[in-house]
Amino acid sequence: MNDTLPTLHVVTASQRRGAEVFASDLVGALADQGHPGRLAALTAGPDGGDQLGAQVLGPAPFHPGTLRALRSAARSSRAVVAHGSKTLPATALALAGSRTPFVYRSIGDPQAWSGSGLRRVRTAALLQRAARVVALWPGAADVLGRVHGVPAAKLAVIPNGVPSDRFPPADQATRDAARLELDLPAGEPLVLYLGALSPEKQVGHALEAVAALPGVHVAVVGAGPDRAVLEGTAASLGLGGRAHFTGPVEKPQAALAAADVVVLPSRTEGMPGVLLEAGFTGRPAVATDVGGVAEIVRPGETGVLVAPGDVPALAEGLRTALADATALGAAARRHCLTHFDMPVVAARWAEVLGTL
Protein backbone atom coordinates (compact mmCIF):
# COMPACT_ATOMS: atom_id res chain seq x y z
CA MET A 1 0.00 0.00 0.00
CA ASN A 2 1.30 3.49 -0.90
CA ASP A 3 1.42 5.42 2.39
CA THR A 4 1.94 8.73 0.56
CA LEU A 5 -1.57 8.59 -0.91
CA PRO A 6 -4.43 10.29 0.96
CA THR A 7 -7.17 8.41 2.75
CA LEU A 8 -10.62 8.93 1.23
CA HIS A 9 -13.35 9.60 3.81
CA VAL A 10 -16.86 8.99 2.46
CA VAL A 11 -20.08 10.40 3.96
CA THR A 12 -23.66 9.99 2.84
CA ALA A 13 -24.39 13.61 1.90
CA SER A 14 -22.59 16.93 1.88
CA GLN A 15 -24.48 18.46 4.80
CA ARG A 16 -23.72 19.49 8.35
CA ARG A 17 -24.98 16.47 10.27
CA GLY A 18 -23.24 14.46 12.97
CA ALA A 19 -21.38 11.83 10.94
CA GLU A 20 -20.56 14.25 8.17
CA VAL A 21 -19.17 16.94 10.48
CA PHE A 22 -17.12 14.33 12.36
CA ALA A 23 -15.62 13.04 9.10
CA SER A 24 -14.69 16.56 8.03
CA ASP A 25 -13.09 17.27 11.42
CA LEU A 26 -11.24 13.94 11.34
CA VAL A 27 -9.74 14.68 7.92
CA GLY A 28 -8.36 17.94 9.28
CA ALA A 29 -7.05 16.42 12.53
CA LEU A 30 -5.33 13.53 10.73
CA ALA A 31 -3.73 15.99 8.30
CA ASP A 32 -2.35 17.92 11.28
CA GLN A 33 -0.73 14.66 12.42
CA GLY A 34 0.84 13.99 9.03
CA HIS A 35 -1.83 11.72 7.51
CA PRO A 36 -3.37 13.38 4.41
CA GLY A 37 -6.97 12.78 3.52
CA ARG A 38 -9.89 14.08 1.50
CA LEU A 39 -13.64 14.10 1.93
CA ALA A 40 -16.25 12.84 -0.52
CA ALA A 41 -20.03 12.66 -0.28
CA LEU A 42 -22.17 10.11 -2.09
CA THR A 43 -24.59 12.90 -2.94
CA ALA A 44 -25.29 16.56 -2.24
CA GLY A 45 -27.20 17.75 0.80
CA PRO A 46 -30.98 18.21 0.71
CA ASP A 47 -30.64 21.81 -0.44
CA GLY A 48 -28.40 20.71 -3.30
CA GLY A 49 -25.45 22.62 -1.93
CA ASP A 50 -22.08 21.61 -0.53
CA GLN A 51 -21.85 22.57 3.14
CA LEU A 52 -18.60 20.71 3.88
CA GLY A 53 -16.29 21.28 0.94
CA ALA A 54 -16.62 17.62 -0.01
CA GLN A 55 -16.33 16.12 -3.47
CA VAL A 56 -19.91 15.20 -4.42
CA LEU A 57 -19.77 11.87 -6.23
CA GLY A 58 -23.18 11.60 -7.85
CA PRO A 59 -26.92 12.30 -7.90
CA ALA A 60 -27.93 9.57 -5.43
CA PRO A 61 -26.12 7.20 -3.03
CA PHE A 62 -26.51 4.06 -5.16
CA HIS A 63 -26.66 5.60 -8.62
CA PRO A 64 -24.31 3.76 -11.02
CA GLY A 65 -22.49 7.01 -11.72
CA THR A 66 -21.96 7.57 -7.99
CA LEU A 67 -20.50 4.11 -7.52
CA ARG A 68 -18.22 4.53 -10.53
CA ALA A 69 -16.98 7.88 -9.20
CA LEU A 70 -16.34 6.32 -5.79
CA ARG A 71 -14.36 3.47 -7.31
CA SER A 72 -12.35 5.94 -9.37
CA ALA A 73 -11.59 8.13 -6.33
CA ALA A 74 -10.54 5.05 -4.35
CA ARG A 75 -7.88 4.15 -6.95
CA SER A 76 -5.83 7.18 -5.91
CA SER A 77 -6.36 6.57 -2.17
CA ARG A 78 -4.44 4.42 0.30
CA ALA A 79 -7.72 3.43 1.98
CA VAL A 80 -11.38 4.41 2.20
CA VAL A 81 -13.22 5.18 5.45
CA ALA A 82 -17.01 4.83 5.16
CA HIS A 83 -18.77 6.90 7.79
CA GLY A 84 -22.01 5.13 8.63
CA SER A 85 -25.44 4.80 7.09
CA LYS A 86 -25.58 4.25 3.32
CA THR A 87 -21.82 4.43 2.92
CA LEU A 88 -21.46 0.77 3.91
CA PRO A 89 -23.38 -0.78 0.99
CA ALA A 90 -22.19 1.90 -1.42
CA THR A 91 -18.52 1.39 -0.58
CA ALA A 92 -18.78 -2.40 -0.53
CA LEU A 93 -20.39 -2.36 -3.99
CA ALA A 94 -18.07 0.24 -5.48
CA LEU A 95 -14.89 -1.47 -4.27
CA ALA A 96 -15.86 -5.04 -5.17
CA GLY A 97 -12.74 -6.65 -6.61
CA SER A 98 -10.63 -3.61 -5.79
CA ARG A 99 -7.31 -3.78 -3.92
CA THR A 100 -8.08 -0.59 -1.95
CA PRO A 101 -9.14 -1.56 1.61
CA PHE A 102 -12.01 0.15 3.37
CA VAL A 103 -12.86 0.76 7.00
CA TYR A 104 -16.46 1.06 8.13
CA ARG A 105 -17.33 3.41 11.00
CA SER A 106 -20.53 2.29 12.72
CA ILE A 107 -22.14 5.54 13.92
CA GLY A 108 -25.29 4.39 15.69
CA ASP A 109 -26.40 1.72 18.11
CA PRO A 110 -26.09 -1.58 16.22
CA GLN A 111 -28.53 -3.16 18.66
CA ALA A 112 -31.17 -0.74 17.36
CA TRP A 113 -30.44 -0.94 13.62
CA SER A 114 -29.51 -4.63 13.37
CA GLY A 115 -32.99 -5.65 12.30
CA SER A 116 -33.69 -9.31 11.68
CA GLY A 117 -33.87 -11.90 8.95
CA LEU A 118 -32.67 -10.85 5.51
CA ARG A 119 -31.58 -7.39 6.63
CA ARG A 120 -29.30 -8.81 9.28
CA VAL A 121 -27.80 -11.33 6.85
CA ARG A 122 -27.22 -8.59 4.25
CA THR A 123 -25.59 -6.27 6.80
CA ALA A 124 -23.33 -9.06 8.07
CA ALA A 125 -22.22 -9.84 4.51
CA LEU A 126 -21.39 -6.19 3.85
CA LEU A 127 -19.44 -5.89 7.10
CA GLN A 128 -17.36 -8.92 6.15
CA ARG A 129 -16.14 -6.96 3.12
CA ALA A 130 -14.55 -4.27 5.34
CA ALA A 131 -10.90 -4.55 6.30
CA ARG A 132 -11.71 -3.05 9.72
CA VAL A 133 -14.93 -2.09 11.50
CA VAL A 134 -14.84 0.74 14.03
CA ALA A 135 -17.44 0.92 16.82
CA LEU A 136 -17.91 3.96 19.03
CA TRP A 137 -18.02 2.13 22.37
CA PRO A 138 -17.28 -1.41 23.63
CA GLY A 139 -20.93 -2.47 23.84
CA ALA A 140 -21.42 -1.62 20.17
CA ALA A 141 -18.35 -3.65 19.25
CA ASP A 142 -19.77 -6.59 21.20
CA VAL A 143 -23.02 -6.46 19.20
CA LEU A 144 -21.15 -6.21 15.90
CA GLY A 145 -19.19 -9.32 16.80
CA ARG A 146 -21.97 -11.33 18.39
CA VAL A 147 -24.86 -10.43 16.07
CA HIS A 148 -23.10 -9.74 12.79
CA GLY A 149 -20.14 -12.09 13.12
CA VAL A 150 -17.43 -9.46 12.70
CA PRO A 151 -14.19 -11.12 13.85
CA ALA A 152 -12.56 -9.60 16.91
CA ALA A 153 -9.37 -9.01 14.91
CA LYS A 154 -11.31 -6.71 12.57
CA LEU A 155 -12.97 -4.67 15.32
CA ALA A 156 -11.66 -1.47 16.86
CA VAL A 157 -13.27 0.90 19.36
CA ILE A 158 -12.76 4.62 18.76
CA PRO A 159 -15.22 7.07 20.30
CA ASN A 160 -16.84 10.07 18.73
CA GLY A 161 -14.83 13.27 18.92
CA VAL A 162 -15.16 17.04 18.77
CA PRO A 163 -12.46 19.72 18.45
CA SER A 164 -12.38 21.21 21.95
CA ASP A 165 -11.32 24.66 20.74
CA ARG A 166 -14.66 24.99 18.97
CA PHE A 167 -16.51 24.74 22.30
CA PRO A 168 -14.61 26.75 24.93
CA PRO A 169 -15.96 26.98 28.48
CA ALA A 170 -18.45 29.81 28.86
CA ASP A 171 -18.02 32.41 31.60
CA GLN A 172 -20.82 34.52 33.06
CA ALA A 173 -20.42 37.32 30.53
CA THR A 174 -20.63 34.84 27.65
CA ARG A 175 -23.70 33.25 29.23
CA ASP A 176 -25.45 36.60 29.62
CA ALA A 177 -24.67 37.56 26.02
CA ALA A 178 -25.91 34.21 24.73
CA ARG A 179 -29.22 34.51 26.57
CA LEU A 180 -29.68 38.02 25.20
CA GLU A 181 -28.91 36.82 21.67
CA LEU A 182 -31.42 33.95 21.90
CA ASP A 183 -34.05 35.98 23.78
CA LEU A 184 -33.85 33.74 26.84
CA PRO A 185 -34.48 34.95 30.41
CA ALA A 186 -31.48 36.20 32.36
CA GLY A 187 -30.81 34.85 35.82
CA GLU A 188 -33.25 31.92 35.68
CA PRO A 189 -32.24 28.23 35.83
CA LEU A 190 -32.28 27.00 32.23
CA VAL A 191 -32.39 23.45 30.82
CA LEU A 192 -31.43 23.06 27.15
CA TYR A 193 -32.56 20.51 24.61
CA LEU A 194 -30.46 20.89 21.45
CA GLY A 195 -31.15 18.63 18.49
CA ALA A 196 -33.76 17.26 16.13
CA LEU A 197 -37.41 17.50 17.12
CA SER A 198 -38.31 13.96 16.10
CA PRO A 199 -40.18 11.11 17.85
CA GLU A 200 -37.14 9.04 18.92
CA LYS A 201 -35.72 12.04 20.84
CA GLN A 202 -38.74 12.07 23.20
CA VAL A 203 -38.45 15.82 23.79
CA GLY A 204 -41.91 15.78 25.35
CA HIS A 205 -40.45 13.91 28.31
CA ALA A 206 -38.06 16.81 28.89
CA LEU A 207 -41.00 19.22 28.88
CA GLU A 208 -42.87 17.06 31.38
CA ALA A 209 -39.81 16.89 33.62
CA VAL A 210 -39.29 20.66 33.58
CA ALA A 211 -42.99 21.21 34.29
CA ALA A 212 -42.40 19.43 37.62
CA LEU A 213 -39.64 21.91 38.58
CA PRO A 214 -41.11 25.30 39.58
CA GLY A 215 -39.16 28.27 38.29
CA VAL A 216 -37.02 26.26 35.86
CA HIS A 217 -37.06 27.25 32.18
CA VAL A 218 -36.42 25.04 29.15
CA ALA A 219 -35.02 26.08 25.77
CA VAL A 220 -35.84 23.78 22.84
CA VAL A 221 -33.35 24.50 20.07
CA GLY A 222 -33.76 22.69 16.79
CA ALA A 223 -36.19 21.82 14.04
CA GLY A 224 -38.18 18.76 13.07
CA PRO A 225 -41.61 17.25 12.51
CA ASP A 226 -42.56 17.27 16.19
CA ARG A 227 -42.28 21.01 16.79
CA ALA A 228 -46.00 21.83 16.61
CA VAL A 229 -46.86 18.85 18.82
CA LEU A 230 -44.22 19.86 21.36
CA GLU A 231 -45.45 23.43 21.49
CA GLY A 232 -48.91 22.04 22.20
CA THR A 233 -47.48 19.80 24.90
CA ALA A 234 -45.77 22.76 26.56
CA ALA A 235 -49.04 24.70 26.57
CA SER A 236 -51.00 21.78 27.98
CA LEU A 237 -48.45 21.35 30.78
CA GLY A 238 -48.89 24.99 31.78
CA LEU A 239 -45.27 25.85 31.05
CA GLY A 240 -46.35 29.16 29.56
CA GLY A 241 -43.39 31.55 29.53
CA ARG A 242 -41.02 28.85 30.86
CA ALA A 243 -40.74 27.00 27.52
CA HIS A 244 -38.77 28.73 24.74
CA PHE A 245 -38.77 27.31 21.20
CA THR A 246 -36.00 29.05 19.28
CA GLY A 247 -35.93 26.99 16.10
CA PRO A 248 -32.53 25.91 14.74
CA VAL A 249 -29.44 28.04 15.34
CA GLU A 250 -26.49 28.42 12.99
CA LYS A 251 -23.95 27.76 15.76
CA PRO A 252 -24.74 25.67 18.85
CA GLN A 253 -22.12 27.43 20.99
CA ALA A 254 -24.50 30.21 22.01
CA ALA A 255 -27.24 27.78 23.05
CA LEU A 256 -24.80 25.75 25.13
CA ALA A 257 -23.31 28.85 26.72
CA ALA A 258 -26.80 30.01 27.72
CA ALA A 259 -27.72 26.74 29.45
CA ASP A 260 -27.16 25.50 32.97
CA VAL A 261 -27.86 21.84 32.14
CA VAL A 262 -28.34 19.92 28.88
CA VAL A 263 -31.05 17.26 28.63
CA LEU A 264 -31.23 14.36 26.16
CA PRO A 265 -34.20 12.03 26.80
CA SER A 266 -33.85 9.87 23.64
CA ARG A 267 -34.98 6.26 23.40
CA THR A 268 -32.05 5.45 21.09
CA GLU A 269 -28.66 7.07 20.46
CA GLY A 270 -25.16 6.26 19.30
CA MET A 271 -22.57 8.49 20.95
CA PRO A 272 -24.26 11.89 20.59
CA GLY A 273 -22.05 14.79 19.67
CA VAL A 274 -24.28 17.25 21.50
CA LEU A 275 -23.25 15.70 24.83
CA LEU A 276 -19.58 16.09 23.89
CA GLU A 277 -20.19 19.70 22.90
CA ALA A 278 -21.96 20.29 26.21
CA GLY A 279 -19.09 18.72 28.12
CA PHE A 280 -16.44 20.82 26.41
CA THR A 281 -18.51 23.93 27.14
CA GLY A 282 -18.60 22.91 30.80
CA ARG A 283 -22.26 21.95 30.96
CA PRO A 284 -23.47 18.81 32.76
CA ALA A 285 -26.01 16.54 31.09
CA VAL A 286 -29.04 14.58 32.19
CA ALA A 287 -29.64 11.85 29.64
CA THR A 288 -31.16 8.44 29.10
CA ASP A 289 -28.87 5.44 29.46
CA VAL A 290 -28.97 4.27 25.83
CA GLY A 291 -26.30 3.47 23.25
CA GLY A 292 -22.93 4.95 24.14
CA VAL A 293 -24.28 7.77 26.32
CA ALA A 294 -22.78 6.25 29.48
CA GLU A 295 -19.30 6.70 27.98
CA ILE A 296 -19.87 10.47 28.15
CA VAL A 297 -22.23 11.00 31.09
CA ARG A 298 -20.73 9.54 34.24
CA PRO A 299 -23.43 9.41 36.95
CA GLY A 300 -22.64 11.67 39.86
CA GLU A 301 -19.43 12.83 38.15
CA THR A 302 -20.35 14.62 34.91
CA GLY A 303 -24.15 14.41 35.01
CA VAL A 304 -27.06 12.06 35.61
CA LEU A 305 -28.28 8.97 33.75
CA VAL A 306 -31.89 7.77 33.83
CA ALA A 307 -33.86 4.97 32.20
CA PRO A 308 -35.66 5.83 28.95
CA GLY A 309 -39.25 6.90 29.55
CA ASP A 310 -38.84 7.51 33.30
CA VAL A 311 -40.07 11.11 33.52
CA PRO A 312 -40.00 11.37 37.35
CA ALA A 313 -36.36 10.21 37.33
CA LEU A 314 -35.61 12.70 34.57
CA ALA A 315 -37.11 15.52 36.66
CA GLU A 316 -35.14 14.45 39.74
CA GLY A 317 -31.98 14.21 37.63
CA LEU A 318 -32.47 17.75 36.38
CA ARG A 319 -33.02 18.96 39.94
CA THR A 320 -29.78 17.30 41.04
CA ALA A 321 -27.75 18.59 38.09
CA LEU A 322 -29.04 22.16 38.45
CA ALA A 323 -28.07 22.16 42.13
CA ASP A 324 -24.47 21.15 41.35
CA ALA A 325 -24.08 22.42 37.79
CA THR A 326 -20.72 24.15 38.22
CA ALA A 327 -18.85 21.16 39.67
CA LEU A 328 -20.48 18.63 37.35
CA GLY A 329 -19.79 20.84 34.33
CA ALA A 330 -16.11 21.24 35.22
CA ALA A 331 -15.77 17.46 35.57
CA ALA A 332 -17.56 16.97 32.23
CA ARG A 333 -15.03 19.22 30.51
CA ARG A 334 -12.07 17.37 32.03
CA HIS A 335 -13.56 14.03 30.99
CA CYS A 336 -14.18 15.19 27.41
CA LEU A 337 -10.69 16.70 27.06
CA THR A 338 -9.15 13.40 28.11
CA HIS A 339 -11.20 11.08 25.91
CA PHE A 340 -13.04 12.94 23.15
CA ASP A 341 -10.89 15.83 21.95
CA MET A 342 -10.43 15.42 18.20
CA PRO A 343 -6.60 15.19 18.24
CA VAL A 344 -6.88 12.34 20.76
CA VAL A 345 -9.45 10.54 18.62
CA ALA A 346 -7.49 11.17 15.42
CA ALA A 347 -4.37 9.56 16.92
CA ARG A 348 -6.35 6.37 17.49
CA TRP A 349 -7.62 6.50 13.92
CA ALA A 350 -4.05 6.85 12.67
CA GLU A 351 -3.18 3.64 14.51
CA VAL A 352 -6.06 1.74 12.87
CA LEU A 353 -5.27 3.07 9.39
CA GLY A 354 -1.66 2.11 9.92
CA THR A 355 -2.65 -1.56 10.29
CA LEU A 356 -4.20 -1.83 6.82
Side-chain angles (χ1 to χ4, degrees), residues 134-184:
V134 173
L136 301 187
W137 69 97
D142 176 68
V143 173
L144 289 166
R146 179 168 42 81
V147 175
H148 293 297
V150 180
K154 274 191 178 185
L155 283 166
V157 177
I158 307 177
N160 202 352
V162 169
S164 60
D165 57 0
R166 193 179 296 162
F167 296 90
D171 57 20
Q172 188 61 49
T174 305
R175 176 179 305 197
D176 293 343
R179 291 200 182 193
L180 183 63
E181 176 186 342
L182 297 173
D183 196 24
L184 297 170

Side-chain angles (χ1 to χ4, degrees), residues 75-124:
R75 290 194 190 102
S76 57
S77 306
R78 68 181 302 270
V80 175
V81 179
H83 290 264
S85 188
K86 297 175 182 177
T87 65
L88 173 60
T91 304
L93 287 170
L95 299 189
S98 167
R99 297 182 63 186
T100 304
F102 82 90
V103 180
Y104 177 64
R105 178 177 182 257
S106 174
I107 62 174
D109 184 351
Q111 192 69 60
W113 56 251
S114 289
S116 60
L118 181 60
R119 179 182 177 184
R120 182 174 294 183
V121 171
R122 183 172 63 244
T123 301

Side-chain angles (χ1 to χ4, degrees), residues 319-337:
R319 191 193 314 275
T320 299
L322 285 166
D324 198 20
T326 300
L328 291 171
R333 179 168 170 79
R334 290 193 299 270
H335 179 60
C336 286
L337 284 170

Side-chain angles (χ1 to χ4, degrees), residues 5-11 27 36-41 55 57 69-83 91 95 100-103 353:
L5 294 175
T7 298
L8 179 67
H9 294 258
V10 181
V11 296
V27 170
R38 53 193 174 130
L39 184 66
Q55 175 191 359
L57 296 173
L70 175 53
R71 187 178 181 89
S72 176
R75 290 194 190 102
S76 57
S77 306
R78 68 181 302 270
V80 175
V81 179
H83 290 264
T91 304
L95 299 189
T100 304
F102 82 90
V103 180
L353 293 173

Side-chain angles (χ1 to χ4, degrees), residues 13 39 42 47 67 70 72 76 103 149 153 168 195 208 216 224 238-239 247 263 277 283 302 313 316 342 352:
L39 184 66
L42 295 176
D47 61 356
L67 300 182
L70 175 53
S72 176
S76 57
V103 180
E208 293 178 47
V216 176
L239 282 169
V263 64
E277 294 165 1
R283 298 294 180 259
T302 70
E316 187 56 35
M342 186 55 76
V352 168

